Amino acid sequence: MILETQNLTKQFDGKGGFKDVNISIDSGMVFGFLGPNGAGKSTFVKTMVGLLHPTSGFGWINGFSIGTIESKRQIGFLPENFKYYDWMTGKELMKFHAELYKMKNPYKKIEELLDLVKLKGHENKKIKNYSKGMQQRIGLAIALLNDPEVIFLDEPTSALDPVGRIDVREIIKRLKDDGKTVFLNSHLLSEVEMVCDEVAIINHGHVIAEGKLENLLSKNTYVEMVISDYDSELIEKISKLAYDIVFKDGKLTFKIKDKDSIPEIAKIVVDSGAKLYQLNSKTSSLEDLFINIVGKDEDVC
Amino acid sequence: MLTITKYTIKEMIKKRAFLLIAILTVGYLFIYGYGLSLAFHSSNSFTGNVPDIGKILLESQLLSAGLYFSNFIVAFLIVLTSVGAVSGDVESGAIYALLYKPLKRYGYVLGKFIGLGIIITVYSTLLFLSVIGLNIAFGTKVYLELGNILRALFFFDLGPVVLLSLVIASSSIMSTVNTGVLAVMTYGIAMIGGILEQMGSFSTDATSQGLSNVGIITSLILPTDVIFRKMNAELLTQNTGLSFLAQGPFGGTSQPSPYMFVYIAFYICFLLYYGARKFEKRDL
Ligand SMILES: Nc1ncnc2c1ncn2[C@@H]1O[C@H](COP(=O)(O)OP(=O)(O)OP(=O)(O)O)[C@@H](O)[C@H]1O
Ligand SMILES: [Mg+2]
């Protein structure tokens, strides 16, 4: 486990923040942390990088307790409200941050990163004169300066144009290929769906779903069948493998827990002598899942 | 820590705040010099071998006044440049990108203190030497020995460092605005306390004791005024025993006790320690 928390809690005078979060992430994963506004995503990340002191619980990064200098050596961080000393030029800013890491000869790395975030040609401009998106790009470059094992990105594409978003996606994929772990805060679900291996959904400070993206999504596989000449015995057999069964206008729709039950159900239908005209299966998008889970959570509250 | 120091100094230079300050300082020195030239050459009829005591007194007062206002300018400069030293970064959010790094928070606070301390000390030293230089250039009759000047310079620079430690500590704990208010208020209180204490030393009755108690309390809150008086005394008290030169509205007879200086050393260390510690514990 490169990142692990145990009942990690951060609250502000008993309110807000997040509570009893237990997460563990394997190294090399891209982890998506999702949740509506004010759910506690940024608070969680700021606690992991040592800017906030946890109220209770524990957290480790690569085995080092969060907030310690050792754990800070492992990480890179792009804050949500990124702001950098604006009287420096892009290159000076990078050099300043490299000096904070006591890097001996950072110039090659700086060039490489400026290239990666496509700021070549702007490096001698003052940060003050950078656009918001350019500032976010340089923030990303700074987050990668020390070759961190774990990179926390808090809504890294909030200020970026569509091309910039694709760039960031590519960068995340490259980091993953290099064996790095990426912790991505986002509410852009399509983005998360494209790059993340694992996700957790947080609402009102509580993690309400967590797991591999494919598992979470396949939990919600819808199947739609058009059949005729069936009997109630068949429906009963299907209901053992499926749930939320609805029968309407000759169409049978239900959800299944496991994709492997699709052929099984088809076989049952055919064997029973009923006629199967059509079979569609569709896994819900992350958006469906999110709305579903967060929506249900709202009902409870 | 030293990286923070280096870039704090760089920032001051880059932002050209110092260019403006330098221009205004030259203006101030020019007006002061003009004042000196008028005062020193007004009563030239007395040109004799024996310098007349009244004239020396006047000239020593002019010297003290020049240093007093210079000291005031330095204090003003500290408030302007340093109230946001830490709080400014917190308020803008620039702190996030710095303190997730393997950088000790107290190192960041001390780095800022040292950086600003160097700038302020350089400025304060230049200002002090300019004022002394102008007085010498215009032929002051006040005898200024090198030893006196250097000892006085030490105290002239010590005052700003004390104020800076208060400002940095406050900036690590509170907002920029609150730090500004605190700095100006305490500096004002120290100044008024110093004046009251001087007034107390002129009278002899019970009020005198009360006034000097007020002075002692205010100099415990912020010992800048005490240090200034010490500086004045160091500069003007001479081997010849002409200590009365140090008197007047900008100087004073009541000399701070040696314990005061133990207190001052403790004061600086405690404020920086307290500020850094509070900052360590803070949620950013
Ligand atoms: N410094 C603070 N003091 C008090 N409450 C806070 C503080 N910071 C955050 N909160 C509260 O904690 C909760 C979580 O905030 P957080 O910024 O982590 O949300 P988020 O999930 O990042 O939201 P967004 O998607 O809008 O960025 C909110 O209810 C917020 O009001
Ligand atoms: Mg957020």
Side-chain angles (χ1 to χ4, degrees), chain B residues 33-51:
Chain B
Y34 183 64
L36 286 183
S37 75
L38 287 186
F40 285 10
H41 300 293
S42 58
S43 48
N44 263 347
S45 50
F46 278 108
T47 42
N49 282 338
V50 184

Side-chain angles (χ1 to χ4, degrees), chain B residues 4 50 83 161 164 193 256 282:
Chain B
I4 296 289
V50 184
V83 283
V161 172
L164 183 65
R282 222 175 132 176

Side-chain angles (χ1 to χ4, degrees), chain A residues 216-227:
Chain A
L216 282 176
L217 290 181
S218 69
K219 258 189 205 152
N220 273 322
T221 304
Y222 290 90
V223 177
E224 200 180 79
M225 292 196 304
V226 180
I227 51 176

Side-chain angles (χ1 to χ4, degrees), chain B residues 15-254:
Chain B
K15 276 188 168 170
R16 307 231 177 89
F18 253 72
L19 192 66
L20 188 67
I21 290 160
I23 292 169
L24 294 179
T25 306
V26 169
Y28 162 72
L29 290 172
F30 199 79
I31 292 167
Y32 178 63
Y34 183 64
L36 286 183
S37 75
L38 287 186
F40 285 10
H41 300 293
S42 58
S43 48
N44 263 347
S45 50
F46 278 108
T47 42
N49 282 338
V50 184
D52 123 43
I53 286 294
K55 199 155 160 38
I56 295 184
L57 257 180
L58 171 73
E59 292 185 3
S60 75
Q61 288 309 309
L62 280 171
L63 174 62
S64 293
L67 290 175
Y68 192 79
F69 289 113
S70 303
N71 189 50
F72 191 74
I73 290 173
V74 175
F76 201 64
L77 183 74
I78 291 174
V79 172
L80 288 184
T81 56
S82 311
V83 283
V86 176
S87 55
D89 281 354
V90 173
E91 283 155 22
S92 76
I95 199 92
Y96 295 146
L98 302 178
L99 292 187
Y100 80 83
K101 294 196 163 67
L103 168 77
K104 290 247 165 49
R105 287 195 188 182
Y106 70 79
Y108 166 83
V109 173
L110 283 184
K112 288 269 179 183
F113 173 75
I114 295 170
L116 289 165
I118 290 172
I119 292 170
I120 298 290
T121 304
V122 167
Y123 177 75
S124 160
T125 302
L126 287 177
L127 202 52
F128 176 85
L129 293 179
S130 307
V131 168
I132 300 284
L134 277 175
N135 275 279
I136 292 173
F138 283 107
T140 183
K141 307 286 186 305
V142 180
Y143 181 63
L144 295 168
E145 208 183 318
L146 186 63
N148 288 44
I149 292 176
L150 291 180
R151 273 197 302 280
L153 174 61
F154 171 77
F155 289 108
F156 191 81
D157 288 344
L158 180 63
V161 172
V162 169
L163 180 60
L164 183 65
S165 63
L166 176 72
V167 168
I168 294 286
S170 164
S171 185
S172 310
I173 302 167
M174 298 192 290
S175 70
T176 305
V177 173
N178 287 346
T179 300
V181 171
L182 179 88
V184 170
M185 293 292 276
T186 42
Y187 189 76
I189 286 171
M191 234 164 89
I192 290 167
I195 292 171
L196 290 181
E197 196 179 351
Q198 292 314 302
M199 282 165 63
S201 71
F202 290 126
S203 50
T204 44
D205 53 9
T207 46
S208 132
Q209 192 53 45
L211 285 173
S212 80
N213 282 346
V214 171
I216 289 168
I217 291 168
T218 57
S219 55
L220 288 176
I221 296 173
L222 181 67
T224 44
D225 205 75
V226 173
I227 297 172
F228 183 81
R229 268 180 280 133
K230 176 72 178 170
M231 183 285 300
N232 210 41
E234 284 295 338
L235 188 64
L236 297 176
T237 306
Q238 275 136 37
N239 305 337
T240 48
L242 277 172
S243 70
F244 67 90
L245 284 183
Q247 290 180 20
F250 306 114
T253 39
S254 70

Side-chain angles (χ1 to χ4, degrees), chain A residues 10 53 72 85 97 99, chain B residues 6-7 89 101 280 283:
Chain A
K10 174 68 196 178
H53 300 284
K72 289 179 171 189
Y85 284 162
H97 282 268
E99 280 180 44
Chain B
K6 179 176 149 191
Y7 280 88
D89 281 354
K101 294 196 163 67
E280 294 263 0
D283 281 333

Side-chain angles (χ1 to χ4, degrees), chain A:
Chain A
M1 292 297 141
I2 186 112
L3 187 154
E4 202 170 354
T5 68
Q6 213 179 71
N7 294 333
L8 192 64
T9 301
K10 174 68 196 178
Q11 301 213 286
F12 304 97
D13 303 319
K15 293 192 295 277
F18 60 89
K19 212 170 172 202
D20 289 327
V21 171
N22 294 293
I23 278 180
S24 51
I25 303 174
D26 275 325
S27 123
M29 288 287 149
V30 179
F31 189 89
F33 204 45
L34 317 174
N37 292 132
K41 303 182 295 294
S42 300
T43 310
F44 181 78
V45 166
K46 278 160 80 180
T47 307
M48 290 307 289
V49 301
L51 290 168
L52 297 174
H53 300 284
T55 311
S56 62
F58 307 93
W60 297 272
I61 291 170
N62 211 358
F64 299 109
S65 199
I66 54 172
T68 58
I69 293 290
E70 291 80 7
S71 81
K72 289 179 171 189
R73 276 191 232 285
Q74 316 290 320
I75 60 176
F77 173 43
L78 172 62
E80 177 177 37
N81 303 314
F82 47 91
K83 181 85 178 64
Y84 299 91
Y85 284 162
D86 61 4
W87 51 274
M88 297 182 189
T89 66
K91 208 172 189 168
E92 283 167 348
L93 183 71
M94 298 281 290
K95 188 165 165 278
F96 166 54
H97 282 268
E99 280 180 44
L100 288 175
Y101 281 118
K102 301 192 169 62
M103 285 166 71
K104 284 275 146 26
N105 198 353
Y107 299 100
K108 200 170 148 259
K109 186 83 192 166
I110 290 174
E111 290 299 316
E112 201 182 296
L113 287 171
L114 284 171
D115 206 29
L116 183 72
V117 299
K118 307 219 169 126
L119 279 177
K120 269 282 172 61
H122 300 288
E123 66 264 45
N124 292 322
K125 253 197 223 169
K126 286 233 168 82
I127 299 295
K128 187 174 15 222
N129 301 327
Y130 271 27
S131 73
K132 193 88 183 142
M134 285 158 79
Q135 292 191 22
Q136 193 159 29
R137 282 163 191 262
I138 199 129
L140 183 59
I142 286 169
L144 301 177
L145 202 51
N146 59 328
D147 236 335
E149 284 306 313
V150 186
I151 301 110
F152 293 91
L153 303 174
D154 198 346
E155 293 176 28
T157 57
S158 59
L160 297 186
D161 56 35
V163 179
R165 292 182 178 194
I166 296 171
D167 292 343
V168 169
R169 224 179 288 151
E170 291 307 314
I171 291 172
I172 292 175
K173 282 183 186 149
R174 261 175 70 170
L175 289 168
K176 180 182 155 72
D177 290 342
D178 292 345
K180 311 290 188 189
T181 310
V182 179
F183 190 103
L184 177 66
N185 264 9
S186 182
H187 29 220
L188 294 175
L189 299 168
S190 56
E191 207 171 89
V192 170
E193 203 167 357
M194 271 184 265
V195 295
C196 291
D197 305 303
E198 278 180 43
V199 296
I201 296 177
I202 182 170
N203 197 19
H204 299 302
H206 294 274
V207 172
I208 50 178
E210 195 208 339
K212 290 235 181 302
L213 187 60
E214 54 201 46
N215 294 346
L216 282 176
L217 290 181
S218 69
K219 258 189 205 152
N220 273 322
T221 304
Y222 290 90
V223 177
E224 200 180 79
M225 292 196 304
V226 180
I227 51 176
S228 70
D229 299 351
Y230 56 89
D231 47 24
S232 56
E233 202 184 322
L234 173 64
I235 306 289
E236 220 161 90
K237 276 183 184 162
I238 293 176
S239 65
K240 279 178 190 147
L241 293 164
Y243 60 102
D244 283 359
I245 300 176
V246 179
F247 190 68
K248 208 178 154 198
D249 305 335
K251 246 189 214 169
L252 190 65
T253 54
F254 49 85
K255 286 184 194 165
I256 47 170
K257 291 201 179 71
D258 187 356
K259 272 188 174 157
D260 291 339
S261 33
I262 295 177
E264 227 170 296
I265 290 173
K267 189 168 182 299
I268 293 171
V269 172
V270 174
D271 289 352
S272 77
K275 288 179 178 153
L276 176 62
Y277 291 96
Q278 204 183 325
L279 190 151
N280 291 326
S281 86
K282 114 175 177 251
T283 47
S284 60
S285 67
L286 187 56
E287 189 169 86
D288 297 333
L289 177 74
F290 184 84
I291 302 292
N292 205 338
I293 294 182
V294 173
K296 268 190 196 147
D297 196 46
E298 295 303 331
D299 292 344
V300 173
C301 291

